[in-house]
Amino acid sequence: MLFGRLHMNQPLFERNTRKQGATLIMALAFSLIAATIIAGVGTLAVSHFSRARVEADNAMAMQLAEAGIDYELRNISLDPTNPNQAHQQAAYGSMPGPFTSSISGVDGSFTVYVTNDDSTGTGPWVSYDASGMQSNGLRIVSTGTVNGVTRTVRITGARKSLFDEYAIFAYKKGNYSGAGASDGSTRIVGDLGTNGSLTFNGSSGTETIVGEISLHTGASTNTSGTNLVSGGAPIVLPTVSDIANTMFPSGGLTYLKTHNSNANIKMLNKSGSVIDQMNDITTIAAFTSSVMNARLVSAGYTTSTYTLSDPQGNTAPSDACTYDQANGTRFASSRPANSDPAYVFTSQGAYGCNVLFLPPGDYYFNSLDLKQQNTALVLLTHLGNIRIWVDNPSGKVSDDTLKATVIFTDTTPSRFRLFYNKLATLTINGSSQFCGSFYAINSAGGTDLPNLNFNGNSSVYGSVIANNMTIRGGTQVIFPNDGSGADPADLSLWYGFKSGWIEIAKVSGNPVFSDGTRN
Protein backbone atom coordinates (compact mmCIF):
# COMPACT_ATOMS: atom_id res chain seq x y z
CA MET A 1 0.00 0.00 0.00
CA LEU A 2 2.77 2.31 0.83
CA PHE A 3 4.48 1.52 -2.46
CA GLY A 4 1.27 2.06 -4.34
CA ARG A 5 0.63 5.41 -2.75
CA LEU A 6 4.07 6.63 -3.48
CA HIS A 7 3.73 5.51 -7.04
CA MET A 8 0.52 7.37 -7.51
CA ASN A 9 1.89 10.67 -6.22
CA GLN A 10 4.42 12.82 -8.13
CA PRO A 11 7.85 13.43 -6.74
CA LEU A 12 8.16 16.57 -4.60
CA PHE A 13 10.87 18.17 -6.74
CA GLU A 14 8.72 17.70 -9.89
CA ARG A 15 5.76 19.50 -8.34
CA ASN A 16 8.02 22.48 -7.32
CA THR A 17 9.49 22.72 -10.80
CA ARG A 18 6.06 23.01 -12.36
CA LYS A 19 5.04 25.71 -9.93
CA GLN A 20 8.17 27.70 -10.71
CA GLY A 21 7.48 27.44 -14.42
CA ALA A 22 3.97 28.72 -14.02
CA THR A 23 5.25 31.62 -11.94
CA LEU A 24 7.83 32.47 -14.59
CA ILE A 25 5.22 32.42 -17.32
CA MET A 26 2.95 34.68 -15.31
CA ALA A 27 5.86 37.05 -14.59
CA LEU A 28 6.73 37.16 -18.27
CA ALA A 29 3.12 37.86 -19.14
CA PHE A 30 2.90 40.66 -16.61
CA SER A 31 6.20 42.05 -17.87
CA LEU A 32 4.95 41.96 -21.42
CA ILE A 33 1.71 43.68 -20.41
CA ALA A 34 3.62 46.28 -18.37
CA ALA A 35 6.08 46.86 -21.21
CA THR A 36 3.18 47.28 -23.64
CA ILE A 37 1.46 49.74 -21.31
CA ILE A 38 4.69 51.64 -20.73
CA ALA A 39 5.40 51.72 -24.45
CA GLY A 40 1.86 52.94 -25.10
CA VAL A 41 2.12 55.58 -22.44
CA GLY A 42 5.48 56.62 -23.83
CA THR A 43 4.09 56.78 -27.37
CA LEU A 44 1.11 58.77 -26.13
CA ALA A 45 3.37 61.11 -24.18
CA VAL A 46 5.65 61.60 -27.19
CA SER A 47 2.61 62.15 -29.40
CA HIS A 48 1.15 64.69 -26.99
CA PHE A 49 4.52 66.39 -26.65
CA SER A 50 4.94 66.55 -30.42
CA ARG A 51 1.42 67.85 -30.83
CA ALA A 52 1.91 70.39 -28.06
CA ARG A 53 5.13 71.53 -29.67
CA VAL A 54 3.52 71.84 -33.11
CA GLU A 55 0.60 73.74 -31.59
CA ALA A 56 3.02 75.98 -29.72
CA ASP A 57 4.97 76.55 -32.94
CA ASN A 58 1.70 77.33 -34.74
CA ALA A 59 0.69 79.81 -32.06
CA MET A 60 4.13 81.42 -32.03
CA ALA A 61 4.21 81.57 -35.83
CA MET A 62 0.92 83.49 -35.74
CA GLN A 63 2.26 85.86 -33.10
CA LEU A 64 5.37 86.47 -35.20
CA ALA A 65 3.22 87.14 -38.26
CA GLU A 66 1.23 89.68 -36.23
CA ALA A 67 4.51 91.19 -35.00
CA GLY A 68 5.56 91.63 -38.62
CA ILE A 69 2.33 93.56 -39.34
CA ASP A 70 2.96 95.83 -36.35
CA TYR A 71 6.58 96.32 -37.38
CA GLU A 72 5.73 97.43 -40.90
CA LEU A 73 2.97 99.81 -39.81
CA ARG A 74 5.43 101.48 -37.46
CA ASN A 75 8.18 101.44 -40.09
CA ILE A 76 6.03 103.22 -42.69
CA SER A 77 4.83 105.70 -40.07
CA LEU A 78 8.40 106.76 -39.27
CA ASP A 79 8.53 108.67 -42.57
CA PRO A 80 5.40 108.43 -44.74
CA THR A 81 6.95 110.80 -47.30
CA ASN A 82 9.89 108.49 -48.07
CA PRO A 83 9.12 106.22 -51.08
CA ASN A 84 11.88 103.85 -49.96
CA GLN A 85 10.52 103.42 -46.44
CA ALA A 86 8.08 100.57 -47.07
CA HIS A 87 9.30 97.01 -47.73
CA GLN A 88 7.87 95.95 -51.06
CA GLN A 89 6.73 92.57 -52.35
CA ALA A 90 9.90 92.61 -54.44
CA ALA A 91 12.76 95.07 -54.77
CA TYR A 92 11.88 97.87 -57.20
CA GLY A 93 14.94 99.98 -57.96
CA SER A 94 15.85 101.72 -54.70
CA MET A 95 12.73 100.38 -52.98
CA PRO A 96 13.65 97.49 -50.67
CA GLY A 97 12.10 94.02 -50.92
CA PRO A 98 10.54 91.95 -48.13
CA PHE A 99 11.94 92.44 -44.64
CA THR A 100 12.90 89.47 -42.44
CA SER A 101 13.69 89.76 -38.77
CA SER A 102 13.38 88.02 -35.42
CA ILE A 103 12.58 88.97 -31.85
CA SER A 104 15.21 88.59 -29.18
CA GLY A 105 14.52 85.58 -26.95
CA VAL A 106 11.81 84.19 -29.27
CA ASP A 107 12.28 81.25 -31.63
CA GLY A 108 11.52 81.85 -35.28
CA SER A 109 11.29 84.89 -37.54
CA PHE A 110 8.85 86.96 -39.58
CA THR A 111 8.93 88.22 -43.16
CA VAL A 112 6.75 91.16 -44.14
CA TYR A 113 6.02 93.21 -47.26
CA VAL A 114 3.43 95.67 -48.62
CA THR A 115 1.38 95.78 -51.79
CA ASN A 116 -1.38 97.92 -53.22
CA ASP A 117 -4.83 97.18 -51.85
CA ASP A 118 -6.50 96.91 -55.21
CA SER A 119 -7.64 94.22 -57.61
CA THR A 120 -4.06 93.25 -58.46
CA GLY A 121 -2.67 93.10 -54.94
CA THR A 122 0.80 93.79 -56.30
CA GLY A 123 3.44 96.50 -55.92
CA PRO A 124 5.19 98.74 -55.77
CA TRP A 125 3.14 100.59 -53.18
CA VAL A 126 3.98 104.23 -52.44
CA SER A 127 2.33 106.56 -49.96
CA TYR A 128 1.88 109.24 -52.67
CA ASP A 129 1.90 109.14 -56.42
CA ALA A 130 3.66 111.57 -58.71
CA SER A 131 0.89 114.15 -58.39
CA GLY A 132 1.12 114.20 -54.63
CA MET A 133 -2.22 112.49 -54.18
CA GLN A 134 -2.69 109.48 -51.94
CA SER A 135 -2.08 106.34 -53.96
CA ASN A 136 -3.85 103.00 -53.74
CA GLY A 137 -4.72 101.69 -50.31
CA LEU A 138 -2.18 99.80 -48.25
CA ARG A 139 -2.09 96.01 -47.92
CA ILE A 140 0.44 94.27 -45.64
CA VAL A 141 1.33 90.56 -45.81
CA SER A 142 3.39 88.96 -43.04
CA THR A 143 4.59 85.38 -42.52
CA GLY A 144 5.74 83.97 -39.19
CA THR A 145 8.01 80.90 -39.21
CA VAL A 146 8.91 78.68 -36.24
CA ASN A 147 10.66 75.28 -36.58
CA GLY A 148 9.36 74.87 -40.13
CA VAL A 149 5.80 75.89 -39.24
CA THR A 150 4.59 78.97 -41.16
CA ARG A 151 1.48 81.10 -40.88
CA THR A 152 0.67 84.08 -43.08
CA VAL A 153 -1.76 86.91 -42.40
CA ARG A 154 -2.88 89.88 -44.47
CA ILE A 155 -4.46 93.17 -43.42
CA THR A 156 -5.35 96.50 -44.97
CA GLY A 157 -3.90 99.68 -43.49
CA ALA A 158 -5.37 103.15 -43.01
CA ARG A 159 -3.66 106.51 -42.97
CA LYS A 160 -4.18 109.38 -40.57
CA SER A 161 -3.86 112.78 -42.22
CA LEU A 162 -1.66 115.51 -40.75
CA PHE A 163 -4.84 117.56 -40.38
CA ASP A 164 -7.10 114.87 -38.98
CA GLU A 165 -5.73 114.31 -35.47
CA TYR A 166 -5.27 117.58 -33.57
CA ALA A 167 -7.04 120.92 -33.45
CA ILE A 168 -3.64 122.36 -32.52
CA PHE A 169 -0.18 120.84 -32.45
CA ALA A 170 2.61 123.04 -31.10
CA TYR A 171 5.69 121.33 -32.48
CA LYS A 172 8.12 123.33 -30.35
CA LYS A 173 6.19 125.89 -28.28
CA GLY A 174 2.67 127.16 -27.73
CA ASN A 175 1.27 130.14 -25.77
CA TYR A 176 -2.40 130.64 -24.94
CA SER A 177 -4.02 133.73 -23.42
CA GLY A 178 -7.47 135.15 -22.74
CA ALA A 179 -9.05 131.75 -22.39
CA GLY A 180 -12.36 130.89 -20.84
CA ALA A 181 -15.51 128.86 -21.16
CA SER A 182 -17.81 131.41 -22.76
CA ASP A 183 -18.28 132.44 -26.37
CA GLY A 184 -15.99 135.33 -27.33
CA SER A 185 -13.10 133.91 -25.33
CA THR A 186 -10.04 132.14 -26.66
CA ARG A 187 -11.23 128.58 -27.06
CA ILE A 188 -10.03 125.32 -28.59
CA VAL A 189 -12.53 122.59 -29.37
CA GLY A 190 -10.56 119.46 -30.11
CA ASP A 191 -7.33 117.83 -28.97
CA LEU A 192 -4.13 119.81 -28.44
CA GLY A 193 -0.65 118.26 -28.53
CA THR A 194 2.98 119.25 -28.25
CA ASN A 195 6.51 117.90 -28.40
CA GLY A 196 7.76 120.99 -26.54
CA SER A 197 6.14 123.39 -24.08
CA LEU A 198 2.66 124.79 -23.55
CA THR A 199 2.16 127.98 -21.55
CA PHE A 200 -1.30 129.12 -20.45
CA ASN A 201 -1.91 132.68 -19.28
CA GLY A 202 -5.18 133.12 -17.43
CA SER A 203 -7.74 130.34 -17.40
CA SER A 204 -6.42 126.97 -18.46
CA GLY A 205 -7.12 123.28 -18.41
CA THR A 206 -10.58 122.04 -19.25
CA GLU A 207 -11.99 125.56 -19.61
CA THR A 208 -9.58 126.27 -22.43
CA ILE A 209 -9.37 122.93 -24.23
CA VAL A 210 -12.54 121.00 -24.98
CA GLY A 211 -10.51 117.88 -25.60
CA GLU A 212 -7.28 116.24 -24.47
CA ILE A 213 -3.97 117.98 -23.93
CA SER A 214 -1.43 115.46 -25.19
CA LEU A 215 2.13 115.85 -23.87
CA HIS A 216 4.62 113.78 -25.81
CA THR A 217 7.81 112.54 -24.20
CA GLY A 218 9.87 115.49 -22.94
CA ALA A 219 7.01 118.02 -23.26
CA SER A 220 5.91 120.29 -20.42
CA THR A 221 3.09 122.65 -19.45
CA ASN A 222 2.10 124.98 -16.62
CA THR A 223 -1.50 123.79 -16.60
CA SER A 224 -3.25 120.93 -14.86
CA GLY A 225 -6.47 119.06 -15.26
CA THR A 226 -8.06 115.71 -15.96
CA ASN A 227 -7.60 116.22 -19.69
CA LEU A 228 -3.78 116.01 -19.52
CA VAL A 229 -2.62 112.76 -21.12
CA SER A 230 0.67 111.17 -22.18
CA GLY A 231 1.11 111.25 -25.93
CA GLY A 232 3.97 108.74 -26.10
CA ALA A 233 7.08 109.32 -28.18
CA PRO A 234 7.47 112.73 -29.88
CA ILE A 235 5.76 113.01 -33.25
CA VAL A 236 8.10 113.61 -36.18
CA LEU A 237 6.50 116.00 -38.66
CA PRO A 238 7.62 116.80 -42.21
CA THR A 239 8.64 120.36 -43.01
CA VAL A 240 6.70 122.53 -45.44
CA SER A 241 9.54 121.95 -47.88
CA ASP A 242 9.16 118.16 -47.46
CA ILE A 243 5.46 118.41 -48.23
CA ALA A 244 6.07 120.56 -51.31
CA ASN A 245 8.74 118.15 -52.57
CA THR A 246 6.33 115.24 -52.22
CA MET A 247 3.41 117.00 -53.89
CA PHE A 248 5.56 118.59 -56.62
CA PRO A 249 8.43 116.18 -57.41
CA SER A 250 9.65 118.52 -60.17
CA GLY A 251 11.16 120.86 -57.60
CA GLY A 252 8.87 121.52 -54.65
CA LEU A 253 8.77 125.19 -53.61
CA THR A 254 11.28 126.09 -56.31
CA TYR A 255 8.92 124.63 -58.89
CA LEU A 256 5.94 126.50 -57.39
CA LYS A 257 7.82 129.78 -57.68
CA THR A 258 7.44 129.60 -61.44
CA HIS A 259 4.45 127.26 -61.75
CA ASN A 260 1.76 128.76 -59.55
CA SER A 261 -1.80 130.02 -59.85
CA ASN A 262 -1.10 133.67 -58.95
CA ALA A 263 -2.09 134.93 -62.40
CA ASN A 264 -5.57 133.47 -61.89
CA ILE A 265 -6.48 135.92 -59.09
CA LYS A 266 -9.47 137.94 -60.25
CA MET A 267 -11.59 140.93 -59.30
CA LEU A 268 -14.89 142.55 -60.25
CA ASN A 269 -15.03 144.36 -63.56
CA LYS A 270 -14.56 147.99 -62.54
CA SER A 271 -15.56 149.51 -65.84
CA GLY A 272 -18.28 147.03 -66.72
CA SER A 273 -22.02 147.24 -66.48
CA VAL A 274 -24.13 146.00 -63.58
CA ILE A 275 -24.49 142.62 -65.23
CA ASP A 276 -20.70 142.38 -65.60
CA GLN A 277 -20.46 142.73 -61.83
CA MET A 278 -22.71 139.69 -61.45
CA ASN A 279 -25.62 141.37 -59.71
CA ASP A 280 -27.86 138.85 -61.43
CA ILE A 281 -26.00 135.91 -59.81
CA THR A 282 -27.66 135.65 -56.43
CA THR A 283 -26.28 132.40 -55.01
CA ILE A 284 -23.02 130.47 -54.83
CA ALA A 285 -24.62 127.54 -56.67
CA ALA A 286 -25.20 129.83 -59.65
CA PHE A 287 -21.57 130.97 -59.60
CA THR A 288 -20.03 128.40 -61.92
CA SER A 289 -16.58 128.31 -63.54
CA SER A 290 -18.02 129.65 -66.77
CA VAL A 291 -19.66 132.56 -64.92
CA MET A 292 -16.39 133.33 -63.16
CA ASN A 293 -14.45 133.38 -66.40
CA ALA A 294 -17.07 135.46 -68.19
CA ARG A 295 -17.73 138.05 -65.49
CA LEU A 296 -14.52 138.52 -63.49
CA VAL A 297 -11.36 140.12 -64.78
CA SER A 298 -7.69 139.76 -63.90
CA ALA A 299 -6.59 141.48 -60.69
CA GLY A 300 -3.21 142.22 -62.25
CA TYR A 301 -1.25 139.39 -60.62
CA THR A 302 1.25 137.34 -62.60
CA THR A 303 3.13 134.12 -61.91
CA SER A 304 5.98 136.23 -60.55
CA THR A 305 3.86 138.52 -58.32
CA TYR A 306 4.96 137.31 -54.91
CA THR A 307 3.15 139.74 -52.58
CA LEU A 308 -0.53 139.36 -51.76
CA SER A 309 -1.60 142.83 -50.69
CA ASP A 310 -4.65 145.00 -50.14
CA PRO A 311 -6.12 146.17 -53.44
CA GLN A 312 -6.96 149.85 -53.66
CA GLY A 313 -10.12 151.40 -55.02
CA ASN A 314 -8.34 152.53 -58.15
CA THR A 315 -7.34 148.94 -59.00
CA ALA A 316 -10.30 146.91 -57.69
CA PRO A 317 -13.86 148.17 -57.37
CA SER A 318 -15.73 147.95 -54.10
CA ASP A 319 -18.44 145.31 -53.93
CA ALA A 320 -21.72 147.21 -53.97
CA CYS A 321 -24.05 144.23 -54.30
CA THR A 322 -26.51 143.82 -51.42
CA TYR A 323 -26.43 140.05 -51.91
CA ASP A 324 -22.96 140.20 -50.34
CA GLN A 325 -23.96 141.82 -47.08
CA ALA A 326 -23.53 139.81 -43.90
CA ASN A 327 -26.09 136.98 -43.95
CA GLY A 328 -26.50 137.57 -47.66
CA THR A 329 -27.14 134.86 -50.23
CA ARG A 330 -23.93 135.14 -52.24
CA PHE A 331 -20.48 136.15 -50.92
CA ALA A 332 -21.16 136.05 -47.19
CA SER A 333 -19.77 133.80 -44.51
CA SER A 334 -21.76 130.81 -43.33
CA ARG A 335 -21.37 128.29 -40.55
CA PRO A 336 -20.17 124.79 -41.42
CA ALA A 337 -23.19 122.72 -42.33
CA ASN A 338 -22.74 119.94 -39.75
CA SER A 339 -23.08 119.27 -36.06
CA ASP A 340 -19.92 121.03 -34.91
CA PRO A 341 -20.23 123.60 -32.10
CA ALA A 342 -21.29 126.99 -33.48
CA TYR A 343 -18.48 128.90 -31.79
CA VAL A 344 -16.86 129.81 -35.06
CA PHE A 345 -17.88 132.27 -37.76
CA THR A 346 -19.77 135.42 -37.07
CA SER A 347 -21.67 136.97 -39.93
CA GLN A 348 -19.56 138.93 -42.38
CA GLY A 349 -19.79 139.74 -46.04
CA ALA A 350 -17.82 141.16 -48.94
CA TYR A 351 -20.18 144.14 -49.29
CA GLY A 352 -18.29 147.44 -49.36
CA CYS A 353 -14.88 145.75 -49.66
CA ASN A 354 -12.31 145.66 -52.41
CA VAL A 355 -12.52 142.00 -53.40
CA LEU A 356 -9.93 139.53 -54.64
CA PHE A 357 -11.25 136.20 -55.93
CA LEU A 358 -9.02 133.12 -55.68
CA PRO A 359 -10.09 130.18 -57.87
CA PRO A 360 -8.84 126.66 -57.02
CA GLY A 361 -5.08 126.21 -57.36
CA ASP A 362 -1.68 126.52 -55.68
CA TYR A 363 -0.59 130.10 -54.90
CA TYR A 364 3.00 131.04 -54.07
CA PHE A 365 3.99 134.20 -52.18
CA ASN A 366 6.97 135.60 -50.33
CA SER A 367 4.83 138.13 -48.47
CA LEU A 368 1.28 138.47 -47.14
CA ASP A 369 0.58 142.18 -46.67
CA LEU A 370 -3.13 142.40 -45.92
CA LYS A 371 -3.40 145.04 -43.19
CA GLN A 372 -6.47 147.09 -44.07
CA GLN A 373 -9.92 145.88 -43.16
CA ASN A 374 -11.47 147.03 -46.43
CA THR A 375 -10.24 143.91 -48.27
CA ALA A 376 -12.25 140.75 -48.79
CA LEU A 377 -10.73 137.53 -50.04
CA VAL A 378 -13.33 135.30 -51.64
CA LEU A 379 -11.92 131.79 -51.88
CA LEU A 380 -13.90 129.87 -54.46
CA THR A 381 -13.64 126.53 -52.68
CA HIS A 382 -16.97 125.32 -54.05
CA LEU A 383 -15.07 124.94 -57.33
CA GLY A 384 -12.12 123.01 -55.83
CA ASN A 385 -9.20 123.08 -53.38
CA ILE A 386 -7.03 126.12 -52.66
CA ARG A 387 -3.51 125.96 -51.23
CA ILE A 388 -1.43 129.03 -50.36
CA TRP A 389 2.34 128.57 -49.98
CA VAL A 390 4.36 131.30 -48.27
CA ASP A 391 8.12 130.87 -48.72
CA ASN A 392 11.24 132.75 -47.64
CA PRO A 393 12.20 135.54 -50.06
CA SER A 394 15.69 135.76 -51.49
CA GLY A 395 16.31 139.07 -49.70
CA LYS A 396 15.31 140.46 -46.33
CA VAL A 397 12.77 138.40 -44.41
CA SER A 398 9.87 140.39 -42.95
CA ASP A 399 6.82 139.42 -40.91
CA ASP A 400 3.43 138.92 -42.52
CA THR A 401 -0.11 140.04 -41.74
CA LEU A 402 -3.41 138.53 -42.77
CA LYS A 403 -6.12 140.94 -41.61
CA ALA A 404 -9.03 140.75 -44.00
CA THR A 405 -12.55 139.50 -44.41
CA VAL A 406 -12.21 135.96 -45.71
CA ILE A 407 -15.16 134.28 -47.40
CA PHE A 408 -15.21 130.56 -48.28
CA THR A 409 -17.81 129.56 -50.83
CA ASP A 410 -17.65 126.00 -49.44
CA THR A 411 -17.01 125.57 -45.71
CA THR A 412 -15.62 122.03 -45.98
CA PRO A 413 -12.29 122.37 -44.10
CA SER A 414 -10.37 119.94 -46.32
CA ARG A 415 -10.52 122.44 -49.19
CA PHE A 416 -8.13 125.05 -47.83
CA ARG A 417 -4.48 124.88 -46.69
CA LEU A 418 -1.99 127.62 -45.87
CA PHE A 419 1.63 126.40 -45.71
CA TYR A 420 3.96 128.93 -44.06
CA ASN A 421 7.66 128.21 -44.61
CA LYS A 422 9.12 131.63 -43.70
CA LEU A 423 11.43 132.15 -40.75
CA ALA A 424 9.13 134.93 -39.59
CA THR A 425 5.78 135.57 -37.88
CA LEU A 426 2.42 135.45 -39.61
CA THR A 427 -0.22 137.40 -37.68
CA ILE A 428 -3.85 136.47 -38.32
CA ASN A 429 -6.21 138.94 -36.70
CA GLY A 430 -9.21 141.17 -37.15
CA SER A 431 -12.23 139.25 -38.28
CA SER A 432 -10.23 136.74 -40.32
CA GLN A 433 -12.08 133.44 -40.48
CA PHE A 434 -10.87 130.25 -42.12
CA CYS A 435 -12.40 126.94 -43.09
CA GLY A 436 -9.22 124.92 -43.40
CA SER A 437 -5.81 124.33 -41.86
CA PHE A 438 -2.49 126.11 -41.26
CA TYR A 439 0.89 124.40 -41.33
CA ALA A 440 4.22 126.05 -40.40
CA ILE A 441 7.07 123.57 -39.80
CA ASN A 442 10.62 124.56 -40.79
CA SER A 443 13.54 122.66 -39.25
CA ALA A 444 15.82 125.72 -39.60
CA GLY A 445 13.61 127.85 -37.38
CA GLY A 446 14.46 126.32 -34.02
CA THR A 447 11.94 126.90 -31.24
CA ASP A 448 10.52 130.29 -32.22
CA LEU A 449 10.11 130.31 -36.00
CA PRO A 450 7.99 129.96 -37.99
CA ASN A 451 5.47 131.56 -35.64
CA LEU A 452 1.71 131.78 -36.16
CA ASN A 453 0.08 134.53 -34.12
CA PHE A 454 -3.74 134.33 -33.93
CA ASN A 455 -5.58 137.17 -32.19
CA GLY A 456 -8.41 139.66 -32.51
CA ASN A 457 -11.36 137.25 -32.70
CA SER A 458 -9.98 135.25 -35.60
CA SER A 459 -11.50 131.81 -36.20
CA VAL A 460 -10.24 128.55 -37.65
CA TYR A 461 -12.42 125.59 -38.50
CA GLY A 462 -9.69 123.01 -39.03
CA SER A 463 -6.18 122.45 -37.62
CA VAL A 464 -3.21 124.63 -36.73
CA ILE A 465 0.25 123.01 -36.71
CA ALA A 466 3.39 125.11 -36.26
CA ASN A 467 6.86 125.26 -34.72
CA ASN A 468 5.61 128.07 -32.48
CA MET A 469 2.19 129.62 -32.06
CA THR A 470 0.34 132.19 -30.02
CA ILE A 471 -3.41 131.83 -29.59
CA ARG A 472 -5.15 134.76 -27.86
CA GLY A 473 -7.64 137.62 -28.16
CA GLY A 474 -10.82 135.57 -28.48
CA THR A 475 -9.47 133.24 -31.16
CA GLN A 476 -11.52 130.11 -31.80
CA VAL A 477 -9.99 126.91 -33.20
CA ILE A 478 -12.64 124.28 -33.87
CA PHE A 479 -11.58 120.81 -34.96
CA PRO A 480 -14.00 119.10 -37.40
CA ASN A 481 -15.73 116.33 -35.50
CA ASP A 482 -16.92 114.39 -38.52
CA GLY A 483 -13.53 113.58 -40.03
CA SER A 484 -13.98 116.12 -42.82
CA GLY A 485 -10.61 117.73 -42.16
CA ALA A 486 -8.61 115.28 -44.27
CA ASP A 487 -7.98 115.47 -47.99
CA PRO A 488 -6.35 112.85 -50.26
CA ALA A 489 -3.54 115.34 -51.01
CA ASP A 490 -2.61 115.64 -47.33
CA LEU A 491 0.50 113.87 -46.16
CA SER A 492 0.05 111.14 -43.58
CA LEU A 493 0.76 111.52 -39.91
CA TRP A 494 0.90 107.75 -39.38
CA TYR A 495 -0.51 104.44 -40.63
CA GLY A 496 -2.55 101.93 -38.64
CA PHE A 497 -4.78 98.88 -38.96
CA LYS A 498 -7.93 99.41 -41.00
CA SER A 499 -9.72 96.11 -41.64
CA GLY A 500 -9.62 92.93 -43.68
CA TRP A 501 -7.60 90.70 -41.35
CA ILE A 502 -7.36 87.28 -42.93
CA GLU A 503 -5.07 84.26 -42.64
CA ILE A 504 -3.67 82.88 -45.85
CA ALA A 505 -2.51 79.25 -46.03
CA LYS A 506 -1.06 77.32 -48.94
CA VAL A 507 -0.47 73.57 -49.37
CA SER A 508 2.02 72.59 -52.06
CA GLY A 509 1.64 76.04 -53.50
CA ASN A 510 -2.17 75.94 -53.66
CA PRO A 511 -4.71 77.68 -51.44
CA VAL A 512 -6.74 75.62 -49.01
CA PHE A 513 -9.93 77.31 -50.20
CA SER A 514 -10.77 78.92 -53.51
CA ASP A 515 -10.51 82.43 -52.01
CA GLY A 516 -6.94 81.75 -50.93
CA THR A 517 -7.71 81.39 -47.25
CA ARG A 518 -8.03 78.73 -44.59
CA ASN A 519 -10.72 80.33 -42.45
Side-chain angles (χ1 to χ4, degrees):
M1 291 295 294
L2 178 63
F3 175 78
R5 184 176 181 179
L6 291 172
H7 179 75
M8 292 174 62
N9 294 298
Q10 294 175 327
L12 183 59
F13 76 88
E14 184 176 345
R15 295 199 305 271
N16 291 337
T17 300
R18 289 188 176 186
K19 288 180 179 180
Q20 292 172 354
T23 301
L24 180 59
I25 290 172
M26 291 178 65
L28 289 173
F30 277 116
S31 297
L32 179 60
I33 293 171
T36 301
I37 293 173
I38 293 172
V41 170
T43 301
L44 183 62
V46 170
S47 176
H48 273 280
F49 176 77
S50 298
R51 180 173 180 176
R53 181 171 181 177
V54 170
E55 289 181 349
D57 288 347
N58 265 280
M60 184 54 67
M62 174 58 71
Q63 293 181 44
L64 284 167
E66 294 279 10
I69 296 289
D70 293 339
Y71 172 87
E72 193 60 22
L73 285 171
R74 179 182 182 276
N75 173 62
I76 299 171
S77 298
L78 290 174
D79 188 359
T81 67
N82 183 357
N84 300 323
Q85 191 73 20
H87 296 96
Q88 305 291 337
Q89 187 175 22
Y92 298 95
S94 58
M95 296 181 176
F99 177 77
T100 299
S101 186
S102 59
I103 300 174
S104 178
V106 178
D107 290 339
S109 62
F110 64 80
T111 299
V112 63
Y113 63 86
V114 303
T115 68
N116 290 306
D117 186 30
D118 58 14
S119 58
T120 66
T122 59
W125 174 86
V126 291
S127 53
Y128 298 91
D129 63 21
S131 67
M133 300 294 286
Q134 181 187 12
S135 67
N136 291 321
L138 169 65
R139 184 182 298 179
I140 302 179
V141 179
S142 178
T143 298
T145 303
V146 181
N147 296 322
V149 176
T150 65
R151 297 184 76 175
T152 301
V153 296
R154 184 182 73 206
I155 64 111
T156 57
R159 64 190 285 269
K160 177 65 72 171
S161 161
L162 285 172
F163 303 109
D164 202 24
E165 182 74 6
Y166 293 99
I168 290 178
F169 194 86
Y171 200 49
K172 302 289 187 179
K173 186 170 62 175
N175 294 277
Y176 307 91
S177 303
S182 62
D183 290 348
S185 301
T186 301
R187 191 166 173 81
I188 300 167
V189 179
D191 292 342
L192 181 153
T194 185
N195 288 343
S197 65
L198 300 176
T199 301
F200 291 85
N201 302 300
S203 301
S204 60
T206 55
E207 288 189 0
T208 302
I209 312 298
V210 184
E212 293 182 338
I213 301 175
S214 179
L215 302 178
H216 293 262
T217 303
S220 62
T221 183
N222 66 337
T223 191
S224 61
T226 58
N227 57 348
L228 280 177
V229 300
S230 172
I235 292 178
V236 178
L237 295 176
T239 65
V240 171
S241 182
D242 291 333
I243 295 174
N245 289 336
T246 301
M247 297 181 69
F248 305 98
S250 299
L253 291 169
T254 301
Y255 171 85
L256 278 172
K257 189 171 184 177
T258 55
H259 297 78
N260 54 64
S261 304
N262 295 9
N264 294 335
I265 298 176
K266 298 184 180 299
M267 65 179 185
L268 297 170
N269 190 345
K270 182 178 181 180
S271 59
S273 63
V274 170
I275 195 140
D276 288 333
Q277 294 198 19
M278 305 182 302
N279 287 4
D280 57 325
I281 306 298
T282 62
T283 65
I284 291 295
F287 188 72
T288 62
S289 295
S290 59
V291 169
M292 176 191 69
N293 292 327
R295 303 291 185 86
L296 300 180
V297 298
S298 172
Y301 284 78
T302 68
T303 304
S304 57
T305 305
Y306 300 134
T307 298
L308 182 64
S309 58
D310 293 299
Q312 303 301 315
N314 59 347
T315 59
S318 295
D319 185 341
C321 181
T322 56
Y323 295 130
D324 300 328
Q325 295 181 22
N327 296 317
T329 59
R330 194 170 65 173
F331 302 131
S333 63
S334 59
R335 299 183 188 277
N338 53 35
S339 59
D340 286 306
Y343 298 114
V344 69
F345 283 56
T346 57
S347 297
Q348 59 176 1
Y351 181 77
C353 296
N354 298 322
V355 186
L356 294 178
F357 295 85
L358 275 66
D362 286 276
Y363 297 86
Y364 176 94
F365 300 105
N366 292 144
S367 176
L368 298 180
D369 189 27
L370 297 163
K371 299 177 181 178
Q372 301 176 18
Q373 288 191 297
N374 64 343
T375 296
L377 298 179
V378 176
L379 278 64
L380 303 174
T381 46
H382 74 291
L383 299 177
N385 292 359
I386 293 175
R387 291 183 291 255
I388 296 176
W389 305 80
V390 185
D391 194 21
N392 279 310
S394 56
K396 181 180 178 181
V397 177
S398 59
D399 291 336
D400 298 278
T401 301
L402 212 173
K403 185 178 183 180
T405 297
V406 185
I407 305 294
F408 290 81
T409 57
D410 186 320
T411 58
T412 304
S414 62
R415 298 201 169 207
F416 172 73
R417 303 284 183 257
L418 193 153
F419 295 100
Y420 192 73
N421 193 49
K422 286 179 69 173
L423 299 179
T425 294
L426 169 60
T427 298
I428 301 97
N429 57 14
S431 57
S432 300
Q433 303 182 76
F434 299 89
C435 288
S437 296
F438 290 77
Y439 194 88
I441 303 294
N442 186 323
S443 59
T447 301
D448 297 322
L449 299 173
N451 175 45
L452 298 182
N453 178 17
F454 289 87
N455 61 62
N457 297 312
S458 54
S459 300
V460 177
Y461 177 61
S463 297
V464 178
I465 301 172
N467 276 26
N468 182 40
M469 65 181 70
T470 300
I471 309 292
R472 61 186 179 183
T475 294
Q476 309 274 356
V477 179
I478 312 298
F479 183 72
N481 66 12
D482 59 358
S484 61
D487 182 78
D490 294 337
L491 267 70
S492 299
L493 182 62
W494 47 261
Y495 282 86
F497 173 79
K498 179 182 179 182
S499 63
W501 186 100
I502 197 169
E503 182 176 7
I504 303 172
K506 292 190 176 183
V507 178
S508 301
N510 297 311
V512 174
F513 300 121
S514 59
D515 65 352
T517 70
R518 69 182 302 170
N519 51 353

